[in-house]
Amino acid sequence: MPDRMPAEWEPHRRTWMSWPTRNATFQDAAELAAARTAWAAVANTIQRYEPVSMLVNLGDDTGDLLHPGIEPVWVPLDDAWLRDSGPTFVHTGDGELGAVDWTFNGWGAQSWAKWDLDAELAGAVAATVGVRAEASPLTQEGGGFHVDGKGTVLLTETVQLDPYRNPGWNAERVESEIHARLGTSRAIWLPRGLTADYGEFGTRGHVDIVAAFTPPGRVLVHTQTDPGHPDHAVSQEVTAILRDAGREVTELLAPAVTEVDGELVDWSYVNHYVANGVVVLCGFDDPRDDDAARVLAGAYPGRHVVTVDARDIFRFGGGIHCITQQQPLAPTGENP
């Protein structure tokens, strides 16, 4: 049997995160403190439902921000977006837990990014877990794809086909590599991500703020209803592609706030994280927060929906899904 990446809503053994450390993303003491407070709020929420392991850069400390049950793991770090730099855990064909170590180059070798240490992170985490990390020549990040656990993967053309990530790769080659690693057999390509995601600290089109599978294979789509907003066209295009692919789409209305300090934001409720018994939802102190929580409760029956303020996380370039990475239960012989 081929390897398979379980859907995010399948049972987890734990969640992995990285503690913010000083870098271009968190440039001064105030920004670093704000990031650590925001990351801790997410970790402490997840810890109520499943174990959390926090990667901490050598020389840093977590103070008293983290719940005492959260396990620190000391490892050299460049940044704190573990969804992107960490391993993708899979169920291997021989019934074990395995990991994929994608090539990581700082979101397409962006000028502000450092990645010498984070490029080694997937292997380090896999070794800590006690599984082998299989290296992939494909440059991408964990936020750049989403699986339904039943053979389909969502991709965006501006990520996997980015010449700064994968020069010379075409869609066929990308699909072949991804299907071999994740056990998928069908790719649905979206042409682009949200507009603000192409700014200075953007990812250039990660799918996990645009669309996300929910059980049993429906798709939540970030839906901008204002025709004057540049993401209105993005929402319409993504929705049409998914429906043409035979998928049932649930519209998840974008936050009412679209700018902060005159700058367009990519705030998105799609960027939630699903753990054992809980959905951790990005909150923005926005009139649509409660509506998003109701939609997520309907999409994940039986799970609590907990809203955590994600404004500072998005201020630094991502959301709750971007800072978390699930370790699923092994295929056999392991209890949650």
Side-chain angles (χ1 to χ4, degrees):
M1 293 178 60
D3 294 354
R4 181 185 75 93
M5 181 184 177
E8 192 171 310
W9 53 83
E10 295 183 47
H12 296 181
R13 177 66 186 87
R14 69 177 58 248
T15 293
W16 289 85
M17 298 178 65
S18 289
W19 192 240
T21 191
R22 181 69 64 85
N23 57 31
T25 309
F26 320 112
Q27 296 187 20
D28 57 37
E31 289 187 347
L32 188 59
R36 288 175 171 175
T37 298
W39 264 245
V42 173
N44 293 339
T45 298
I46 298 170
Q47 192 275 336
R48 304 202 314 256
Y49 298 88
E50 66 181 58
V52 176
S53 291
M54 182 70 73
L55 304 178
V56 183
N57 195 24
L58 305 178
D60 286 349
D61 67 75
T62 60
D64 59 357
L65 291 174
L66 294 177
H67 186 280
I70 294 176
E71 174 190 358
V73 179
W74 306 97
V75 61
L77 294 175
D78 288 313
D79 217 324
W81 308 98
L82 193 65
R83 173 70 52 178
D84 294 346
S85 55
T88 295
F89 289 102
V90 296
H91 288 168
T92 67
D94 56 4
E96 302 293 336
L97 185 69
V100 182
D101 180 1
W102 308 106
T103 300
F104 180 72
N105 75 342
W107 302 275
Q110 297 203 46
S111 60
W112 53 266
K114 296 192 305 178
W115 61 88
D116 287 353
L117 300 176
D118 281 357
E120 305 296 325
L121 198 53
V125 173
T128 301
V129 173
V131 303
R132 186 172 63 181
E134 295 285 351
S136 170
L138 181 68
T139 300
Q140 68 167 355
E141 306 83 38
F145 60 88
H146 206 273
V147 301
D148 66 357
K150 295 183 177 180
T152 302
V153 59
L154 297 177
L155 307 171
T156 50
E157 294 175 9
T158 58
V159 172
Q160 284 80 19
L161 301 181
D162 177 7
Y164 295 97
R165 286 176 167 101
N166 297 300
W169 288 58
N170 59 21
E172 182 179 12
R173 184 180 176 190
V174 168
E175 288 185 27
S176 177
E177 176 64 14
I178 285 179
H179 294 335
R181 302 294 179 181
L182 302 182
T184 49
S185 56
R186 184 190 187 195
I188 300 176
W189 286 90
L190 308 180
R192 52 183 168 157
L194 299 186
T195 303
D197 194 28
Y198 295 85
E200 181 182 7
F201 293 114
T203 70
R204 300 177 183 154
H206 273 190
V207 74
D208 67 355
I209 58 171
V210 181
F213 286 116
T214 64
R218 298 184 179 93
V219 188
L220 291 172
V221 173
H222 176 90
T223 303
Q224 175 53 250
T225 59
D226 179 3
H229 192 288
D231 286 334
H232 178 69
V234 176
S235 299
Q236 288 189 318
E237 187 173 25
V238 168
T239 297
I241 288 170
L242 290 166
R243 286 177 173 159
D244 286 346
R247 293 290 176 162
E248 182 178 338
V249 171
T250 300
E251 295 184 347
L252 193 53
L253 297 187
V257 173
T258 59
E259 294 184 357
V260 173
D261 297 330
E263 295 289 333
L264 196 68
V265 293
D266 54 2
W267 292 359
S268 173
Y269 300 114
V270 169
N271 198 266
H272 58 279
Y273 179 61
V274 185
N276 295 338
V278 67
V279 178
V280 187
L281 176 63
C282 295
F284 304 102
D285 192 24
D286 188 274
R288 288 182 175 161
D289 284 1
D290 290 342
D291 291 336
R294 283 190 287 271
V295 172
L296 268 294
Y300 299 99
R303 279 182 162 88
H304 296 100
V305 177
V306 179
T307 302
V308 177
D309 193 329
R311 287 173 291 179
D312 273 337
I313 305 176
F314 272 86
R315 173 161 69 102
F316 298 122
I320 289 174
H321 194 254
C322 307
I323 67 174
T324 51
Q325 181 62 269
Q326 68 272 12
Q327 177 188 331
L329 292 182
T332 57
E334 186 179 20
N335 295 316

